[in-house]
Amino acid sequence: MTRSGKAFGSFAEAVADIPDGATVAFGGFAGPGTPYNLTHALLKQGAKRLTCIANTTGGAHQPRMPDIGMLVENGQVAKVVCAFTAATRPTDQLPFTPYYERGEVAAELVPQGTLAERLRAAGAGIPAFYTPTAVGTELAEGRETRVINDREYLLEYALPCDYALIRAWRADAAGNLQFRLSQRNFCPLMAMAARTTIVEVEEPILPAGALDPDQIHTPGIFVHRLIPIPPAPEGLWTARRQERTS
Amino acid sequence: MSATTSKGWDRQQMADRLAREFQDGWIVNLGVGIPTLCSNTDIGDRDITYHAENGVIGYGPVLPPGQEDLHLVNAGGQNVSLNPGAAIVHHADSFGIIRSGRIDVTVMGAYEVAANGDFANWKIGGAKGGGIGGAMDLAACAKRVFIILEHTTRKGEPRLLRACTLPVTARGVVTLVATNLGLFAPWGEGFAVRELAPGVSFEAAQQATGAPLLPA
């Protein structure tokens, strides 16, 4: 069917081999780019002791879509690496937070730019780097710093992952991806940081050659599995579009 | 309205006061909450580029339901529009813009600000977890850090202090603070009063502040 055999028939098939103990990155920022369908499939698949990497564990707002907080509630998560272990506003509550406070799930809290750069480094073959972010804060306590050109920097390590689950706008059969507007966010970085990248795609998969090579955001080298999102209600689109179709 | 008047500026007025400091050509990053109100302020024909940490450069007003594009949000998850000349980048490039010092000012909310320019906005007392988001990157690397916050807590305790009691977001970076009582600049030992909100006396501001105020 495709030159490279990257098209998968179902979300369940695409996540079937994710083993217990895997490190999985989840794309998305405040909605766009979030792999709701793949997360839903992973909930049903049931892999345990996962390490989940994402900007946030999600679930602070209603209507709730499949998120890392649900994987936590489902007993599938050992650890999260993210920029929020509590909600932005103290009055909001992340479903994840009580599990963390009770010590049932571990967490590594990482500034958002450091999280992005640790993923980028992993995808670029860079083992570690120095950043000015978080110097002088609780996060830097007991960690290696170095003064370069009279400024203090904190050593941060690359963050490789076994799997990346992301959403894209368009893909061709070679796995080349285009994202639309703020859907891009962490997705290209996670695709490069992962050994296996699984993509839910909004538009039908195009034949190889249909996308302009100059307009590719993530080349197919970093992409392994593509699944087009079916129409609602079978496919999960956005919280709001879901409301409109129901 | 009398209660509001005696408390000084409201949220939009606090944001307005800081937004009037923005200069022509600045690249501005607005944090979630009150800082987003800075983009409502009329600052004439000054050309401001708003940068959102999720890689949106040059966004415009929030769009009403029905007109929004669900692929486009700002850092607060609001469906914004794009101004002519806008560009989209991924998260690493977005924070490359931040870390390399291209942001002229970041405006953030906070729980506490100290006289030495430290501030705290990611973790509340006694909590195990926190919400950092992009705040530590922005605070460490933007050319200027402006803070908007209510002058006191709901219990009436000062938020402008000699030293932060909560875990800090960055040290020595804050240059300007807008509160409901006025506009203040940390100067090491205390805060210089740049302006007081209408109806607010120096003595009342000093009483509500946990560090010495220097008269304007």
Side-chain angles (χ1 to χ4, degrees), chain A residues 140-223:
Chain A
E141 284 171 13
R143 292 172 54 194
E144 184 175 342
T145 62
R146 183 171 167 181
V147 175
I148 301 171
N149 295 333
D150 299 327
R151 188 169 183 190
E152 188 177 3
Y153 294 89
L154 180 63
L155 182 67
E156 295 282 0
Y157 290 94
L159 188 58
C161 21
D162 300 315
Y163 292 85
L165 311 185
I166 62 174
R167 183 191 287 216
W169 179 44
R170 283 181 174 154
D172 69 13
N176 296 310
L177 304 180
Q178 288 179 342
F179 303 94
R180 196 169 167 274
L181 299 172
S182 71
Q183 184 179 60
R184 204 179 315 178
N185 60 70
F186 287 95
C187 294
L189 309 168
M190 289 173 171
M192 289 180 69
R195 282 208 302 264
T196 302
T197 297
I198 311 175
V199 190
E200 53 179 76
V201 187
E202 297 184 348
E203 302 264 317
I205 311 297
L206 298 163
L211 292 175
D212 180 348
D214 273 337
Q215 307 299 329
I216 304 296
H217 296 132
T218 294
I221 286 171
F222 301 115
V223 175

Side-chain angles (χ1 to χ4, degrees), chain A residues 49-123:
Chain A
R49 303 193 313 277
L50 299 172
T51 294
C52 297
I53 301 168
N55 182 53
T56 171
T57 56
H61 305 289
Q62 299 294 334
R64 205 168 157 196
M65 297 289 276
D67 58 38
I68 294 169
M70 288 185 188
L71 291 166
V72 169
E73 290 163 339
N74 206 31
Q76 293 179 251
V77 179
K79 180 183 177 183
V80 303
V81 182
C82 55
F84 296 90
T85 49
T88 320
R89 297 177 180 83
T91 45
D92 292 344
Q93 170 97 310
L94 292 179
F96 158 79
T97 303
Y99 291 84
Y100 176 52
E101 286 174 347
R102 291 196 299 265
E104 294 167 28
V105 179
E108 184 178 345
L109 184 59
V110 183
Q112 199 174 120
T114 298
L115 181 63
E117 192 63 15
R118 289 179 64 190
L119 290 161
R120 197 198 72 81

Side-chain angles (χ1 to χ4, degrees), chain B residues 16-132:
Chain B
D16 288 346
R17 186 60 195 84
L18 280 186
R20 287 204 296 275
E21 300 285 321
F22 299 170
Q23 299 300 308
D24 189 42
W26 273 15
I27 300 167
V28 174
N29 186 294
L30 301 177
V32 175
I34 307 178
T36 60
L37 300 175
C38 290
S39 62
N40 296 340
T41 306
D42 180 3
I43 50 172
D45 57 3
R46 275 175 268 182
D47 181 22
I48 303 295
T49 300
Y50 289 105
H51 165 274
E53 65 197 19
N54 58 328
V56 183
I57 305 162
Y59 68 88
V62 176
L63 293 175
Q67 290 178 38
E68 76 275 61
D69 187 324
L70 297 179
H71 281 125
L72 185 62
V73 296
N74 64 8
Q78 298 169 299
N79 290 112
V80 289
S81 53
L82 292 179
N83 289 331
I88 304 285
V89 296
H90 61 55
H91 244 83
D93 283 352
S94 180
F95 280 84
I97 290 167
I98 294 168
R99 233 182 275 106
S100 64
R102 260 67 173 221
I103 303 294
D104 290 289
V105 66
T106 180
V107 185
M108 284 190 248
Y111 304 129
E112 295 175 346
V113 185
N116 61 2
D118 294 358
F119 77 105
N121 76 348
W122 68 276
K123 191 176 189 179
I124 53 174
K128 185 175 174 188
I132 295 176

